[in-house]
Amino acid sequence: MTSDHIHPEPTTFLKKHVFSVDHKVIAKQFLWFGLVWLGIGGIMAMMLRWQLANPGVPVPLFGKLLFPRTSGVIDPASYNTLFTMHGTIMIFLGLTPAMIGALGNWSIPLMIGARDMIFPTLNMLSFWTMVMGGAVGFYSLFVPLGATEAGWTGYPTLSTTVGAVGQGETLWAIAVFLIGASSIMGGINYITTVIRLRCPGMHWMRLPLTVWGLFLTSILNVLFIPVIGSAMIILVLDRVFGTTFYVPASIMSGGTGGDPILYQHLFWIFGHPEVYILILPAWGVVCDLLSFFARKPAFGYRASVGAMVAVTVLSAVVYGHHMFTTGLSAMLGESFMLLTMIISVPAEVLFFNWLHTLWKGNLRLTTPMLFAMSVIFVFGLGGLTGIYLATIGTDIFLHDTYFVVGHFHLTMAASALFGTFAAVYFWFPKMFGRMMSERLGKLHFWLSFVPLVIVFCIMFISGYAGMPRRYYDHTSTEYLRPLQHLNVATSVAAFLLGAAQLIFVYNFIKSRWWGEPAPQNPWEVGTLDWTTETPVPHYNFKTIPVVQCGPHEFSNPVLGPDTDWIYQTEKLPG
Amino acid sequence: MSMLKAILPSLAFLRSRWLGCPLALMLTSTWALAQDKRWGPGEAASDYGYRFHDLFWLITILVSVAFALVVLLLAIPVLRDRERPGHRASFDHGKSLHDKRLTAVISIVTFIILDAWVLVIAMQDLREAYWAIPDAEDPQTYRVEVLAQQWAWNFRAPGVDGEFGTADDIITINELVVPKDRPVSFNMTSKDVIHALFLPEMRMKRDVNPGSINKTWFRPITAGDFTILCAELCGFAHYQMSGKLRVLEQGLFNEWEAEASKLASTAFDADDTEAQWAWDWEE
Ligand code: HEM
Ligand SMILES: [Cu+2]
Ligand SMILES: [Cu+2]
């Protein structure tokens, strides 16, 4: 199961840094790409929050530049474009590359003891396909008749020519398709790599849980991205070639007509697994980091793997909970409600294992550890509030209010984002050969964590108070006007949260070029990635390692009193 | 004084329109808004609304206890088990039979308390209320047809003759009048994109889809003026697609209905095919 197909290290700049097939370079490309898009999507979020707190007031600093025709005021159509692109960008161009692209590429080969991905060229193609998707998505903002404004969910008939005449919507669909294609390429590569290239001794139950998370995510990617791909192709057909898959006969002049609800099924068959696509790698990272920094074995390794597998399977059969108000029959509605609640069982197993891993540990509260622990907190909040939305009786009122916005930001956005931060802080020393500043890291953590929890918890109150989402201005309706103070408070916290990210940017850039040189294994953990030299040589391992023990043998009494860890390549004494 | 003079010029940026104005506006608007504020959805005005609240608070209590436990179990190790000289983590893979049993028991017990309990009550509510769309034939049921469009609500009530598609149908735009204490049953469709009829005080919401008829109902138990909102993104004026729901006591309602029906008959124009959008009710 070893990979011995060695090709020589490239020498030209273009081959080495741009069209590289080296998984480490591609990981860094994905990371930069994802971070830049997270920044763009974040600025969009700030603009949304600006408009919600100060409806109709010009955006400060760069408003005039972006909205010259309204002298800096966000108009309603632009507002819709902003939240549509914010959602699309954050999910597909921010977290997908940063979490799956960068983390996956970096850690899978290094953690399983491989010299590269099994399909290096496909790997490169995956990145450049995503770049194309990003370019098309960005270009869609500037086309005649308007950008996309049908929400990241793109429901027809609003997203067909009935509701959106602009070419932007077509380009949006094509961008999603391209990004999806990129994810499928990545997925195939990750799955095959994990199955085929594990080094001798690295059997399934010795894999770091990070790799498990990425592996399961890849399976979901390969199974469900094709569904959204088809949905997008059909949408483009409807928009460009005049088919009517999603357009009912009643609003067509002639023709047989289709059904807009078909799209909702297709979208959510993909859309629910997508939530887990983003969260599974974060869970994997959390499982590992909690153990690494509590200096304790990951509690219930097998149960955690089982729980993640169960979530992967169940995630395919719960999507109907997004459609309770669409008009699902009673039988379907109740079935989806039950299935959705069943998914909380594996989630409980994971929580139990995480908390048990910390219990009686020897906690090193480093920046990656703080972010990993905060995932328990924010995912706990997000997951528990999911019960309100899984229960049809309460979802009917809360659906499409800010309650949902708070819920999905905590589960998907915040958990995956904090998981990504944890991973970046953790692997940075290996990736770039330098240490990030711990002091700035901790500052970044606290100034992110506290405002973030405030932002999304206020949204629970607004949602419970009946504030609908995707509204340009809540002060234009009598019923909603008394809620405006909540909007203002949310925005103030959101601006703080946004500003805190500048600390990260500064820390990242400064440490990248001027940080202290990193030792080979600054965190004292035993997985294979930390057995390599820093910086990691072109072929990772001079000789393919042989694994002798699991990834979490911390504080094992057989190690003696002087050390509390051991490399996976070493044999446990005794 | 001199120091103030030295500082003031540096605050001049507050005067510039791009920062000063919005900042001041934000502060004053916060203050102004603090006068007239709301933290919840207000009193429920339908019987279903009370079911919503019972369920909502049940879940809130359960969830709060669960979350408090998580935070506690997170806080204890942070406070107690930090790294210090001479301290070592306990070595435990959680592989023993005891650990496996504990994991299983805790997960299942949490599921029963947190999910199954809620599930059972929710099912009961759904069967007794949400799914239990009243019989359209029953004269007690007040029937309304909804035709949504970008960006308005068209409502059609059968009028005194109790038949849809006749001259005395009461057609209203962005305003719906219904009797108190009687089930109000909706048949809804859309002319263009998907909308959602959202009656926040009634705790009621249902999508309004083009190409098919969606059904829902509620029973108002308080008379007064309430809100109609659109809850599904439907274009750039989505946020303005609101209307008024008026719930009248039965007596007042009968007077209103007779009046409105008569008015509708006199104003009826058979040639105006645009206005003839009624459909038959099927079960
Ligand atoms: C910096 C923190 C963030 C803030 C303050 C923020 C704020 C917002 C706001 C105000 C909306 C519009 C809600 C509405 O009107 O429906 C929104 C929508 C959304 N956000 Fe975020 N967001 C943040 C980060 C993220 C991240 C990291 C993700 C990644 C998954 C994300 C994903 C989404 C999605 C999917 C939507 C829905 C867009 C739609 O309705 O079509 N957000 N966010
Ligand atoms: Cu879902
Ligand atoms: Cu609407």
Side-chain angles (χ1 to χ4, degrees):
Chain A
M1 280 212 268
T2 55
S3 122
D4 287 330
H5 56 279
I6 290 187
H7 27 99
E9 187 167 356
T11 45
T12 63
F13 178 82
L14 211 64
K15 276 254 161 78
K16 204 168 170 177
H17 296 292
V18 184
F19 297 106
S20 170
V21 291
D22 182 347
H23 75 100
K24 298 185 290 298
V25 178
I26 296 174
K28 290 179 196 171
Q29 289 174 323
F30 267 121
L31 184 62
W32 284 105
F33 182 82
L35 290 178
V36 167
W37 279 108
L38 280 175
I40 297 174
I43 292 171
M44 288 179 161
M46 296 302 116
M47 291 197 270
L48 293 171
R49 285 314 326 172
W50 177 265
Q51 161 63 24
L52 290 173
N54 311 284
V57 178
V59 175
L61 305 175
F62 45 76
K64 282 239 178 66
L65 215 69
L66 295 178
F67 313 101
R69 258 173 300 171
T70 47
S71 63
V73 179
I74 302 175
D75 55 288
S78 301
Y79 180 83
N80 289 6
T81 300
L82 277 176
F83 69 67
T84 303
M85 286 310 275
H86 161 74
T88 310
I89 286 173
M90 286 300 200
I91 291 179
F92 292 114
L93 294 168
L95 289 175
T96 302
M99 184 95 238
I100 305 171
L103 175 70
N105 260 304
W106 184 262
S107 62
I108 290 180
L110 285 173
M111 285 185 129
I112 66 172
R115 293 205 153 122
D116 203 327
M117 284 288 178
I118 195 156
F119 307 126
T121 317
L122 186 67
N123 206 9
M124 175 180 79
L125 190 62
S126 164
F127 175 69
W128 288 104
T129 310
M130 179 164 289
V131 172
M132 275 193 317
V136 174
F138 193 64
Y139 177 62
S140 81
L141 291 169
F142 309 101
V143 291
L145 299 177
T148 164
E149 40 186 285
W152 89 281
T153 48
Y155 278 9
T157 45
L158 185 62
S159 59
T160 66
T161 43
V162 174
V165 283
Q167 290 164 15
E169 194 66 42
T170 311
L171 292 173
W172 171 84
I174 294 172
V176 171
F177 182 87
L178 286 171
I179 298 162
S182 154
S183 293
I184 295 174
M185 294 178 208
I188 292 172
N189 215 345
Y190 292 7
I191 293 174
T192 322
T193 304
V194 174
I195 293 179
R196 299 289 303 148
L197 295 188
R198 280 170 293 123
C199 67
M202 180 61 90
H203 53 69
W204 287 97
M205 290 299 134
R206 280 180 180 170
L207 279 177
L209 288 156
T210 304
V211 177
W212 266 110
L214 287 158
F215 178 71
L216 295 169
T217 279
S218 306
I219 291 178
L220 287 178
N221 260 333
V222 170
L223 286 180
F224 293 108
I225 300 257
V227 184
I228 181 99
S230 338
M232 290 300 142
I233 290 182
I234 300 175
L235 185 59
V236 171
L237 289 178
D238 272 9
R239 292 184 57 81
V240 181
F241 299 101
T243 56
T244 57
F245 290 101
Y246 298 143
V247 188
S250 59
I251 54 178
M252 290 297 302
S253 38
T256 43
D259 186 0
I261 311 302
L262 167 66
Y263 176 94
Q264 293 188 18
H265 286 283
L266 292 177
F267 185 86
W268 290 115
I269 286 176
F270 150 81
H272 190 84
E274 173 66 19
V275 178
Y276 290 99
I277 286 171
L278 293 177
I279 198 67
L280 276 165
W283 283 356
V285 169
V286 169
C287 289
D288 273 343
L289 293 194
L290 292 181
S291 155
F292 294 167
F293 290 105
R295 315 305 292 169
K296 245 190 100 193
F299 188 89
Y301 177 101
R302 274 166 191 269
S304 293
V305 171
M308 290 202 277
V309 171
V311 165
T312 306
V313 174
L314 284 172
S315 76
V317 292
V318 301
Y319 76 91
H321 59 220
H322 297 272
M323 296 168 64
F324 286 148
T325 65
T326 300
L328 287 185
S329 68
M331 196 269 284
L332 274 180
E334 288 175 3
S335 314
F336 277 121
M337 175 163 71
L338 177 66
L339 285 165
T340 303
M341 292 199 165
I342 288 176
I343 232 180
S344 69
V345 176
E348 280 148 17
V349 172
L350 279 172
F351 270 93
F352 179 74
N353 285 348
W354 290 336
L355 293 167
H356 216 130
T357 302
L358 295 175
W359 196 256
K360 292 196 181 159
N362 192 27
L363 268 56
R364 297 182 178 171
L365 296 181
T366 58
T367 310
M369 178 62 158
L370 289 175
F371 273 107
M373 284 168 58
S374 73
V375 172
I376 304 183
F377 190 95
V378 292
F379 192 79
L381 264 178
L384 286 168
T385 49
I387 296 178
Y388 296 88
L389 302 173
T391 309
I392 303 180
T394 35
D395 179 64
I396 289 156
F397 178 69
L398 298 171
H399 178 75
D400 267 329
T401 67
Y402 266 82
F403 196 94
V404 175
V405 180
H407 160 73
F408 75 68
H409 274 95
L410 282 169
T411 42
M412 168 174 71
S415 305
L417 189 68
F418 281 4
T420 306
F421 278 136
V424 169
Y425 280 105
F426 180 73
W427 273 286
F428 190 94
K430 192 48 93 184
M431 230 174 186
F432 298 108
R434 291 176 189 277
M435 300 301 291
M436 281 181 92
S437 157
E438 270 290 305
R439 269 182 57 203
L440 290 177
K442 283 184 182 149
L443 194 68
H444 171 228
F445 169 75
W446 285 109
L447 291 180
S448 299
F449 176 69
V450 176
L452 181 131
V453 172
I454 295 176
V455 166
F456 297 120
C457 283
I458 301 180
M459 287 190 189
F460 289 132
I461 303 175
S462 340
Y464 167 64
M467 185 192 282
R469 68 189 277 213
R470 295 171 167 174
Y471 264 34
Y472 170 69
D473 178 359
H474 295 106
T475 59
S476 67
T477 310
E478 202 189 323
Y479 178 70
L480 302 174
R481 207 167 297 131
L483 298 176
Q484 189 59 10
H485 66 288
L486 296 172
N487 266 338
V488 175
T490 310
S491 291
V492 171
F495 297 148
L496 250 169
L497 171 62
Q501 304 319 303
L502 297 176
I503 305 173
F504 174 76
V505 173
Y506 174 79
N507 194 359
F508 189 88
I509 301 219
K510 177 148 183 278
S511 312
R512 165 68 186 83
W513 280 284
W514 300 282
E516 244 177 78
Q520 187 201 330
N521 189 355
W523 312 118
E524 302 184 311
V525 296
T527 48
L528 296 179
D529 43 342
W530 299 99
T531 63
T532 61
E533 292 163 36
T534 305
V536 186
H538 180 57
Y539 268 98
N540 300 354
F541 304 97
K542 282 199 194 72
T543 52
I544 293 291
V546 178
V547 166
Q548 315 265 9
C549 65
H552 306 124
E553 292 297 333
F554 291 99
S555 304
N556 194 333
V558 300
L559 297 172
D562 300 327
T563 183
D564 64 356
W565 64 285
I566 178 174
Y567 277 121
Q568 274 192 278
T569 48
E570 292 171 314
K571 218 175 160 59
L572 278 171
Chain B
M1 235 10 232
S2 63
M3 214 163 104
L4 204 65
K5 268 191 194 136
I7 294 171
L8 271 180
S10 67
L11 292 178
F13 75 95
L14 281 178
R15 287 217 313 273
S16 72
R17 264 207 19 230
W18 56 259
L19 195 64
C21 274
L23 213 70
L25 203 122
M26 203 143 147
L27 291 175
T28 44
S29 62
T30 319
W31 180 81
L33 288 161
Q35 314 301 308
D36 167 32
K37 60 187 173 192
R38 186 149 68 73
W39 297 91
E43 186 77 4
S46 69
D47 52 3
Y48 178 72
Y50 286 91
R51 290 177 185 262
F52 165 80
H53 282 276
D54 289 348
L55 204 52
F56 186 93
W57 289 110
L58 171 68
I59 301 177
T60 303
I61 290 165
L62 296 177
V63 159
S64 306
V65 172
F67 190 62
L69 270 172
V70 170
V71 173
L72 188 74
L73 292 175
L74 206 51
I76 292 175
V78 168
L79 298 174
R80 189 191 61 191
D81 303 332
R82 283 226 229 144
E83 183 176 46
R84 55 188 176 270
H87 182 248
R88 203 178 162 95
S90 78
F91 178 71
D92 182 5
H93 274 290
K95 275 185 187 158
S96 69
L97 188 62
H98 168 79
D99 290 329
K100 283 179 191 154
R101 281 208 189 120
L102 193 64
T103 313
V105 167
I106 290 192
S107 307
I108 288 167
V109 169
T110 328
F111 176 78
I112 291 171
I113 297 178
L114 218 54
D115 301 80
W117 184 1
V118 173
L119 195 78
V120 168
I121 297 183
M123 291 283 219
Q124 203 178 336
D125 280 356
L126 288 171
R127 301 232 161 124
E128 287 169 14
Y130 195 61
W131 304 136
I133 296 181
D135 184 3
E137 304 291 315
D138 184 344
Q140 262 305 95
T141 310
Y142 187 67
R143 292 168 301 156
V144 181
E145 292 186 352
V146 181
L147 181 65
Q149 70 181 81
Q150 284 177 321
W151 289 273
W153 295 103
N154 302 287
F155 297 105
R156 175 187 289 265
V160 278
D161 70 353
E163 294 258 340
F164 282 102
T166 55
D168 79 336
D169 284 7
I170 306 167
I171 300 170
T172 49
I173 296 177
N174 291 339
E175 182 171 313
L176 175 63
V177 183
V178 297
K180 180 173 161 271
D181 294 330
R182 273 170 62 189
V184 181
S185 184
F186 292 97
N187 264 10
M188 315 188 284
T189 192
S190 163
K191 265 189 197 175
D192 36 50
V193 304
I194 302 174
H195 304 268
L197 185 72
F198 181 24
L199 309 176
E201 290 99 341
M202 307 298 158
R203 313 291 188 259
M204 204 286 285
K205 183 182 292 138
R206 195 79 168 166
D207 288 6
V208 182
N209 302 313
S212 59
I213 287 175
N214 210 352
K215 298 175 183 179
T216 193
W217 77 285
F218 74 104
R219 190 202 322 268
I221 53 171
T222 314
D225 284 358
F226 301 103
T227 315
I228 299 173
L229 297 171
C230 178
E232 184 66 56
L233 177 63
C234 60
F236 65 78
H238 169 51
Y239 72 106
Q240 285 176 326
M241 195 169 150
S242 57
K244 193 157 92 178
L245 171 70
R246 289 173 60 202
V247 180
L248 299 180
E249 298 284 351
Q250 188 63 47
L252 277 174
F253 178 80
N254 288 345
E255 279 171 36
W256 173 86
E257 190 184 34
E259 182 93 2
S261 233
K262 205 160 76 201
L263 222 71
S265 311
T266 44
F268 183 72
D269 176 2
D271 295 333
D272 183 3
T273 47
E274 274 282 291
Q276 318 289 331
W277 48 266
W279 54 84
D280 291 334
W281 283 50
E282 86 256 0
E283 279 309 298

